Each structure stands twice: as C-alpha cells, then as structure tokens.
Amino acid sequence: MNKISLASHYPIVDIQDNALFANNGNVVLCYQGLLPEIYSLSSTDFEDIHGAWFQAIKSLPSGTVVHKQDIYLKEKFTAESLPNTTFLEKATHHYFKDRTYITHRCFLFFTLTKNKALNNAKFINPFKKVNAKIPKLMDTAVHSFIGSINDSISFINNSRKMKFLPLDGKEIKQLTNAFFNGFNEGFDTDILLNKSNINIGENYFDCLAVNSELCFGENVYSSKTNEKFTSDDFVFHQGFIDGLGLTLNENHIVNQIIYLDDKQKWRKLLDKKIEELNKSSNFGSMNKVVLKKIQHIQNQINSDDSARVIRGHLNVMYWHKDVDRLEQIGSKIKTEFKELDITSYYPRGEERKNYILNSYCAFASNFSNEDLYVTDLKHALCLLINNTNYKSDDTGIIFNDREHNIPVLKDIWDEHKKRIKARNFAIFAPTGEGKSFLANNILRQYFESGVRIVIIDLGGSYTKFAKLYPDKYTILRYESGKNLGINPFYISTEADLTPERLEDLSVFLFELFASDHKVTKSQSVAIKKVLLLYYEKVRSCHSLDSFYNFIEQHKDNLLEQLKIKEEYFNIVNFLHIMSEYVGNGLYSFLFEVSEDQTFKIEDKRLIIFELDEVKDNKEILSVMLKLIKSAIQRTIWRNRAEKGIILFDEFAKQLKFDNVLESVEFYYQAIRKQNGAIGIILQSINQLPNNSTSASILENTQVIYSLNNEKGYNELVKRLNLSSHDLNQLKSIKNNLSGPRKYTEMFIKIGKESNIFRLEVPKEVYAAYLTDGKENEAIMAIYNETQNMEEAIKQFTSKI
C-alpha cells in the first residue's frame, strides 16, 4: 500500500456519544484534556498528578489500551479575543495579530480491543475491515467497558489538577480528518507512503520512538529540573518529558500508548527472558546489560504489590513542508531524549509507516512485541506530558504568556467568584521596576471595559493615560491652603437624605472627632438624631461649618430635646475637637465650601485625586481621605450594579500615619457592599505595618502582583503565606529590556493559582504609560501644543 485515500479507507464505522467504533473491530472512548498551565506546577504537584494517573489506570481491565496524544501545531495568533475599539486597543490588536506560536491539544483514548490478547503480528493493515455490525454485536462488553472508563475519568477529574471531557462525534471526525490529512489546511489530500519518506499534501512526516525497555537509562521520574529557570539558590521543576512538548516549538505529536496486560502472563515472560539471558550471558557484555535491566524490572514488580506490568510505546511524530528541515527537527528531538538518558529508535521504511499510521487512536492496538517496551505502570506514567499553554479567560486583563509572549486574558474581576472571594489587589515592586506601568496597564483596560476608576495618587503617574479620554476624566488636585471642593453635608433635595446617607455622614463625623475610640451603637444613633434635626431646621447652605454652628446654638437644650443621654453625645468634646475644622480653626480651609464640586465627578468614569502636596501632613491627609470617601459614597457608589475600582498609589507614603491606615481600612470594609475592588501599590510589603489592620487588608487582598525584586521575596512569602513553588516562581523572574520584543516579567497570584506572566506592549501603549524621563517630557511637549494626547502619542511613536 503506497497511497491511502481517506475517502476510500475511512477508519470509522460509527460514533455513539464519545465512543468510536472502528473498522478493525476496536471501540475507542475519546476525551479531550484540560491540563494545568506550563510553569505553574511544583515537584509535589507533578508527583500528585502521577499518583492520580496511577490510581485511575491501574485497575482497568486487562486488554485495555490507553493512548494519550498531545498535538502541537504552529499557528498564527488571530487576536480575535482582543478588544479592538479604542486607540490603545487597536494598537495592541494590530501588534499581536499574526504572531506565530504553538497550540496544544491533549487527547486521551481508551480502546476495548477485538484482539484481547494484544499479540499482534509485526505489520498489520490498519484499514482492513472486519465487521460493519460492530456496535450491536458488542453492546454488553462495551457497556461494561464504558463503566470502567467512567470511573477512571472521574478519579482523574476529582484530582482537580486535570479535567478530561468527552469528545463529541463532530470533534472525533475533525480529529480523524486532520490526522490523515497531515494537518494540511484548506484542502484534502492523500497519504503517499514512500520508502524514503511519508508525504501528506505539503507536509513530510518522520518519527522517533521508544520501543524497548533497553532504550531507558537508569531511572525515570515524575519531574526533573528546568535548567532554563533554575539558579544556585532554587530549583524550578518541569515534567520529565516536557522538553518534547511546548518548548520544542515545532509541529509534532507525542503519542504515549500503554497496553494493560495480564500481570501473571508478563511475570512468566520476564522469567523466561531472564532464564535465556542467564544461559547466554557469558557470550557478550550486551547480554549482561540486558539481563541486569530485566532483573531490575522484575525486582520492582515483585517488591511492589500495587505494581502493574504493562507494555508501552512512546513516539514523536513530526513534520515540515521542507523535507530538509525534518533532519534538524529530528536532531532536536534526539537531543531531548539524550538529556533524559533515553536512546530513541529511528524507524525507516515499512516500520516508519507502521508507527505513524498506528498512532491514530483506533489503530493504537496494532503494535507488536518488537514495538513495545515492558515495564511497570508507574514507570510508564512518568512519560506523560501534564501541562499545556497558558489559559485565556473569556474576558479580563491582557497579559502575555511566558512561552510565546502571546496575549492571555486573565479574569481578575471574577464576577462569579470561582477563584477569589475578594477582588482587591496589591502590586509590590521596588522603585524603577515598573509598578506604575503595570498599574496603568490594569486600570486602562478596566476603564475601557466600562469599570469606574478612582485613583488616590501622591505621584502624578496617571495624567497622561487620563488625557486620552478627554470627556471622561477629572483630576482634583490638592493645593496648599485650599480645599478640594467636597462638601459631605451637601444635598440637592431632601430625597438625598436616605438612611444610607445619614449612616455615611455619621461615620464621617465620628472619624473626625472620635477616631481614637470605638463607636458604640448608642453613639451612632445619637449623632444620626442630631443630623436629622439639623436638616429639618436648617433648610439650605449645609456644611460642616453650618452643622457646627447649629450644635453650638442649641447646645443647652439639644440633648434634652432629642432625649439623648450625655454619655452618648458629648457636645463639649465635639465642639472642642471640631473647632479645628471650622471658623478660624487650623484646618478650616479644608471645609470652606461656597459650592459643592462633587457634581464634577458624578458623570466621570476616571477620577484622579492628586494629593502630592499633602503627603507629609498627617492631619490633612487623613481628612482628605475621609472627604474623598464621602464624595465616592455619594456619587460612584450610589449605583451598586456599577463596577468600580479605587487605587491607592504610593501607598507607603500614605501609611506613615496610623489614622491613615485606619481610614483606608474603612474603604476595605465599605467596598464589600459594593461591586468594587481596592488596589494598593507598595515598594515592599514591609511598608505595611505588621498589625491587625494590615492583616485585615492583606486577608481581603486576593490578587497579588510582584515585579522583580533583587533584595528577595522572603517577607512577601511570609506575610502572604506563599508556597515554596510561589517563591521559586518569584525567583525565576527575568526581564528583557533590549531587542525588538522588550518585556517585563511578573508574578501573579489569583486566589490559589499562580504563574509568571509577561508584559509586552506596542510602542503606543508604552508611550501612554510613561510617567517620567525625557521621553515623557517629549510627549507632554507635543500634547501642550496639540491639546490631543492621542495625536501626541502618534507623533512621538512615528519617530521611534
């Protein structure tokens, strides 16, 4: 047979659900695997996965063939998942579109064979039809087999590391057609089987295999050291044969086939082999080596009650349009095998044809003894690939994967709380490592997806990004001796005076005059009664000054009128403390309001409070944060269905004072009632005081970003209870700030999931995020001329 046309040699007789009935009498149950992300697994994770595979497969019926197939294809990134509306979205979409990367699909097949003994001749015609009525003839056996496989799949899925889902008929046919069509796209073709090569359409195919126990070196393991990321002070792990997976970076398929044989049959066979070799061991050193290896296998099997003897076959099929490139790809694969101390076998002619055709799921039972190694199941399961590409969520913030720098969407909002219960986030990085750049990237994408953003900034890092959206932002900047124009007491109509509003106002007042004390329910009720009376008696020009004067005027009979005990509301104490904020008081300027300015922020979706001038004044900063919170509650948080984010940048400067930390904690408590999140940016976690308030903030922060830190990550690990693999990931961070594709790497942990991501952006986005330096000055100079930030960025980037 030198030519195969799939149309005339179709291997499938019938498909029922995920069961494929093949023309050779086999029944194959077909699944697609969802595996963990590459680089996300520790050595313990690899051991756990290996254990799950063993428990799932060890008790399957004798005669079952298990076939795991990992298909890696070079493709171009379509960018269809990326938004493409705004200026920066279009730049990002265009920048990444058509970038080459490797896709990976994992399949798992369980075959109930017609030939239960699995004692095949050397070469079998896989397309030979045996009986077209297979589905009806095998009903009872098939049902029993399906029950066993369902139990096995349930066990794997319950491990929570992997998930295998049944393939439907359409997917099984697509996979079959793609396999026999040589993964050519846009046309159907025949398979040409020549002695020198196998040619399918535009592609030439070749194969390397592990087909004997003699191919293996001393040991195999569930994982090995990843040399690329491992350093002197930590070890980064990868799966034992991961070098044959994604990182090979070529079109190829890894086929791992396991024949589950009867244990006693193979014990007898091994005994017979040992007996023969003992007789001939004096006739050559090679016989002694083989004898030693087989005795080692026999000892393992005899000493382990849970051992299951199997025959196995591993092959790597690979292809290329250029037949000369096949040799180079083969050389790469041989090198990978060599590093694992495995001697690969290179089949030629009829053998190669046999290996490639029988790597189709329905034909995987066709291998003969000469094509299979004999070993224990635990040994064979070390040769599975257990991870895949980075997973992209349906929506989210764009980062880049670590393998190909392809955009990955990460849903760090988690609407349905599948991964996190609190969506608050923290960014940790020393000066100069790109904290503000990363924050700009996260907030800009949130903003463009409709989230309302409030930034409390002490550094002026977001002005440029804001100016890209002229009608949608406002900047309220504190200047020495002036107020922000926020009047917490302002109401436009009596309808504004809701129970929630009174509650917020009472909290605001207590923060000002009783911040050192825990507020009781009685005190809270008392102040709300006073507030209600104030709004009833004073009909206009409401302000702190007006409220203060009202209490002062009615101090003699106020408590009696409202039936409030003096211990619930100490008027003398109130007037004394609040005198600092009214009249000629030291901080009265903060509340001098001729007109409330919060209307400015009501319809804005990006609000920036720049408090740079106030960063060293404990009292003013504390009051400012309270005023800002008051404005946020009255405007942004009125609509609880609307998503909102509050970011505290240069947070360490705000944390120098205890009362500021407590003020921020109020935001964390209040955000729980809202559809929102709080973000903080710190140079080091040590800048967060080690007290109960900080512990509460960290407990409610479930999305962590860390950029490179040369001083190490020990405190971060300790305070956030990170795992040893989290630490290894952190230590493996490497930035690349030269060459055509510059990127920074960052550690991101979302709930319990963590990995290293990259941030690579087009030049337009880079320009929008710059916060200082000559480049930033050049962009701002163009903006000052044009008053159009998009135009300024275009002009600047056209010269790069």
Side-chain angles (χ1 to χ4, degrees):
M1 188 194 305
N2 293 320
K3 178 180 171 182
I4 300 169
S5 165
L6 189 60
S8 56
H9 293 84
Y10 203 65
I12 300 173
V13 175
D14 190 23
I15 297 174
Q16 296 174 16
D17 298 322
N18 69 320
L20 181 165
F21 294 86
N23 62 4
N24 61 0
N26 285 345
V27 182
V28 187
L29 297 183
C30 310
Y31 297 86
Q32 179 164 351
L34 306 176
L35 304 178
E37 290 180 345
I38 189 170
Y39 307 130
S40 69
L41 299 173
S42 67
S43 58
T44 308
D45 292 328
F46 282 114
E47 285 171 22
D48 291 346
I49 289 171
H50 181 271
W53 277 116
F54 179 72
Q55 292 299 326
I57 291 174
K58 69 173 184 179
S59 302
L60 287 176
S62 293
T64 302
V65 176
V66 181
H67 178 189
K68 184 167 179 292
Q69 184 173 73
D70 294 277
I71 301 176
Y72 299 91
L73 302 175
K74 266 190 182 178
E75 292 189 5
K76 288 187 184 294
F77 183 70
T78 63
E80 285 172 4
S81 60
L82 305 186
N84 192 21
T85 307
T86 68
F87 168 57
L88 296 184
E89 284 175 348
K90 285 176 181 175
T92 304
H93 189 279
H94 176 73
Y95 181 71
F96 288 109
K97 192 175 187 298
D98 292 333
R99 181 172 287 195
T100 302
Y101 74 115
I102 299 288
T103 63
H104 172 212
R105 293 185 75 195
C106 163
F107 299 99
L108 184 62
F109 307 106
F110 297 91
T111 304
L112 174 64
T113 54
K114 188 171 176 64
N115 168 17
K116 283 284 181 67
L118 290 168
N119 50 355
N120 297 313
K122 181 64 181 164
F123 299 116
I124 296 173
N125 175 3
F127 294 99
K128 186 180 177 184
K129 294 178 184 177
V130 291
N131 191 332
K133 295 179 182 177
I134 299 163
K136 289 177 183 173
L137 289 177
M138 296 183 71
D139 266 357
T140 311
V142 169
H143 282 305
S144 172
F145 183 66
I146 288 172
S148 300
I149 301 307
N150 282 343
D151 291 344
S152 182
I153 289 293
S154 293
F155 193 93
I156 295 171
N157 290 349
N158 286 338
S159 73
R160 297 190 179 182
K161 292 275 195 308
M162 306 173 286
K163 194 166 190 178
F164 284 85
L165 304 173
L167 284 175
D168 61 29
K170 184 181 174 185
E171 291 169 318
I172 293 168
K173 284 178 183 174
Q174 283 174 344
L175 180 61
T176 301
N177 293 342
F179 186 91
F180 289 109
N181 204 44
F183 299 94
N184 290 282
E185 290 187 4
F187 60 89
D188 291 334
T189 188
D190 298 330
I191 303 173
L192 300 178
L193 304 165
N194 305 315
K195 283 193 175 180
S196 57
N197 58 54
I198 292 177
N199 174 222
I200 311 176
E202 296 178 341
N203 296 326
Y204 292 91
F205 281 71
D206 217 331
C207 182
L208 282 161
V210 178
N211 64 347
S212 162
E213 56 274 14
L214 302 179
C215 292
F216 295 103
E218 285 296 310
N219 292 300
V220 296
Y221 304 94
S222 59
S223 67
K224 68 184 278 285
T225 300
N226 180 317
E227 301 296 345
K228 184 178 176 184
F229 296 120
T230 295
S231 188
D232 293 342
D233 61 335
F234 72 100
V235 177
F236 203 92
H237 281 261
Q238 65 180 52
F240 189 68
I241 69 160
D242 278 4
L244 297 169
L246 275 176
T247 54
L248 193 64
N249 211 23
E250 301 288 352
N251 286 314
H252 69 291
I253 300 175
V254 179
N255 292 293
Q256 164 72 330
I257 297 159
I258 295 171
Y259 287 18
L260 294 169
D261 290 310
D262 177 65
K263 192 171 182 175
Q264 299 310 320
K265 171 189 165 184
W266 282 99
R267 267 193 169 145
K268 287 173 188 171
L269 192 106
L270 286 172
D271 288 342
K272 190 178 175 186
K273 272 193 176 185
I274 288 167
E275 189 183 336
E276 288 171 0
L277 286 164
N278 266 321
K279 290 174 184 174
S280 60
S281 62
N282 295 327
F283 296 100
S285 57
M286 191 61 200
N287 285 348
K288 286 181 180 176
V289 173
V290 174
L291 174 62
K292 189 178 173 185
K293 284 194 176 185
I294 291 174
Q295 282 175 329
H296 178 65
I297 292 167
Q298 187 190 47
N299 290 338
Q300 279 185 309
I301 291 163
N302 289 337
S303 62
D304 185 354
D305 290 337
S306 67
R308 171 105 195 227
V309 190
I310 61 100
R311 284 177 296 160
H313 176 89
L314 171 69
N315 74 52
V316 183
M317 288 169 52
Y318 51 99
W319 63 93
H320 202 277
K321 289 180 181 180
D322 182 355
V323 71
D324 296 329
R325 277 278 289 133
L326 278 185
E327 194 175 328
Q328 294 171 32
I329 298 169
S331 182
K332 279 168 76 173
I333 295 166
K334 284 174 194 168
T335 302
E336 289 296 335
F337 274 125
K338 201 171 181 182
E339 285 185 10
L340 301 173
D341 198 16
I342 294 174
T343 307
S344 55
Y345 167 70
Y346 182 42
R348 306 299 298 268
E350 196 74 12
E351 197 88 4
R352 172 166 46 197
K353 177 178 80 175
N354 188 45
Y355 280 14
I356 288 176
L357 291 179
N358 289 333
S359 292
Y360 173 64
C361 60
F363 303 155
S365 61
N366 287 347
F367 290 104
S368 72
N369 269 345
E370 292 172 51
D371 308 314
L372 301 161
Y373 57 80
V374 181
T375 189
D376 175 50
L377 177 59
K378 285 180 181 174
H379 178 288
L381 292 174
C382 290
L383 307 178
L384 296 184
I385 292 174
N386 292 312
N387 51 41
T388 187
N389 275 315
Y390 280 53
K391 294 182 179 110
S392 206
D393 296 321
D394 294 334
T395 60
I397 302 301
I398 300 168
F399 299 101
N400 303 86
D401 80 338
R402 200 177 198 180
E403 196 55 44
H404 313 287
N405 282 28
I406 290 299
V408 177
L409 286 167
K410 275 295 160 189
D411 182 6
I412 49 179
W413 191 265
D414 201 4
E415 188 80 47
H416 303 294
K417 298 188 176 179
K418 291 179 182 175
R419 289 187 285 221
I420 49 175
K421 290 177 182 171
R423 54 181 67 100
N424 304 322
F425 63 92
I427 297 173
F428 299 100
T431 302
E433 289 294 342
K435 294 187 296 294
S436 294
F437 196 93
L438 174 58
N440 267 285
N441 183 60
I442 296 166
L443 295 182
R444 189 269 296 179
Q445 293 182 62
Y446 266 138
F447 174 76
E448 291 186 336
S449 68
V451 178
R452 207 162 186 184
I453 310 286
V454 178
I455 301 170
I456 300 166
D457 183 22
L458 272 66
S461 302
Y462 304 92
T463 309
K464 185 137 48 65
F465 138 54
K467 289 182 188 298
L468 278 167
Y469 315 95
D471 302 324
K472 296 178 181 176
Y473 82 94
T474 187
I475 297 175
L476 296 177
R477 187 178 284 108
Y478 171 76
E479 294 175 42
S480 184
K482 296 183 182 177
N483 61 62
L484 273 180
I486 297 172
N487 177 5
F489 289 82
Y490 174 79
I491 58 169
S492 54
T493 66
E494 286 198 15
D496 284 352
L497 207 62
T498 60
E500 289 85 2
R501 183 67 192 282
L502 280 169
E503 195 71 54
D504 292 341
L505 253 181
S506 68
V507 169
F508 172 77
L509 285 166
F510 276 119
E511 285 178 31
L512 276 180
F513 83 90
S515 57
D516 299 337
H517 307 289
K518 186 170 174 59
V519 179
T520 66
K521 179 73 174 172
S522 303
Q523 289 171 312
S524 177
V525 170
I527 198 79
K528 279 182 275 186
K529 280 186 174 183
V530 175
L531 281 165
L532 269 173
L533 185 65
Y534 163 68
Y535 280 104
E536 187 184 311
K537 299 290 185 187
V538 179
R539 308 303 291 175
S540 61
C541 301
H542 303 113
S543 68
L544 179 61
D545 209 63
S546 162
F547 182 62
Y548 182 90
N549 291 333
F550 171 78
I551 292 176
E552 192 170 38
Q553 286 166 16
H554 298 86
K555 62 185 175 188
D556 295 334
N557 62 353
L558 184 65
L559 297 182
E560 188 181 334
Q561 185 183 349
L562 293 171
K563 296 179 179 166
I564 297 171
K565 290 184 179 180
E566 193 173 333
E567 66 246 43
Y568 298 155
F569 183 52
N570 188 324
I571 290 179
V572 175
N573 189 46
F574 175 84
L575 292 174
H576 171 63
I577 291 171
M578 299 302 280
S579 64
E580 265 203 316
Y581 304 113
V582 297
N584 295 319
L586 188 60
Y587 299 112
S588 60
F589 64 88
L590 293 172
F591 294 94
E592 279 174 7
V593 177
S594 53
E595 183 186 359
D596 181 56
Q597 301 293 305
T598 48
F599 69 89
K600 283 185 177 180
I601 69 174
E602 284 181 14
D603 62 339
K604 304 298 182 189
R605 286 200 13 262
L606 176 58
I607 301 118
I608 301 172
F609 295 99
E610 286 194 358
L611 308 181
D612 194 42
E613 284 196 39
V614 78
K615 61 176 179 267
D616 296 319
N617 189 310
K618 168 183 176 178
E619 193 65 36
I620 297 179
L621 182 57
S622 179
V623 173
M624 283 291 172
L625 289 173
K626 294 174 178 64
L627 282 169
I628 290 166
K629 186 170 70 133
S630 156
I632 290 168
Q633 284 170 318
R634 277 190 291 150
T635 56
I636 298 162
W637 286 353
R638 277 188 314 184
N639 177 6
R640 291 192 178 179
E642 187 178 53
K643 294 177 181 176
I645 290 175
I646 300 171
L647 177 77
F648 292 91
D649 197 356
E650 295 289 351
F651 193 50
K653 293 176 184 174
Q654 302 177 32
L655 287 179
K656 286 190 293 188
F657 319 116
D658 291 343
N659 60 344
V660 173
L661 184 63
E662 286 160 15
S663 180
V664 169
E665 192 187 14
F666 273 104
Y667 282 90
Y668 275 84
Q669 290 168 350
I671 206 85
R672 290 176 192 166
K673 304 171 191 172
Q674 311 299 327
N675 189 12
I678 291 178
I680 57 174
I681 301 179
L682 287 167
Q683 289 184 22
S684 161
I685 200 165
N686 286 339
Q687 293 176 324
L688 206 55
N690 207 343
N691 58 28
S692 59
T693 309
S694 295
S696 169
I697 286 172
L698 290 177
E699 203 173 302
N700 286 297
T701 302
Q702 293 187 5
V703 182
I704 302 296
Y705 302 88
S706 177
L707 293 152
N708 183 48
N709 191 337
E710 291 180 1
K711 291 180 180 175
Y713 307 93
N714 290 340
E715 281 301 310
L716 201 66
V717 170
K718 195 162 95 181
R719 300 269 302 266
L720 295 173
N721 296 317
L722 301 181
S723 70
S724 58
H725 186 58
D726 290 338
L727 179 57
N728 287 343
Q729 287 176 328
L730 283 160
K731 286 180 174 180
S732 74
I733 290 174
K734 289 187 178 84
N735 296 335
N736 175 21
L737 302 175
S738 60
R741 290 187 183 176
K742 300 180 182 70
Y743 60 79
T744 53
E745 287 194 335
M746 76 207 76
F747 169 84
I748 303 180
K749 184 155 192 171
I750 306 168
K752 293 179 180 176
E753 297 176 13
S754 67
N755 212 335
I756 299 297
F757 291 81
R758 287 177 176 170
L759 185 53
E760 181 189 342
V761 297
K763 56 189 179 181
E764 295 88 348
V765 175
Y766 169 77
Y769 296 169
L770 283 175
T771 55
D772 50 30
K774 288 182 179 178
E775 291 175 310
N776 184 57
E777 288 170 16
I779 297 166
M780 291 311 292
I782 302 170
Y783 172 77
N784 292 333
E785 278 179 35
T786 62
Q787 290 300 301
N788 184 316
M789 186 53 74
E790 187 176 322
E791 182 58 35
I793 289 172
K794 283 178 181 174
Q795 284 190 34
F796 174 78
T797 53
S798 68
K799 297 167 190 172
I800 297 177

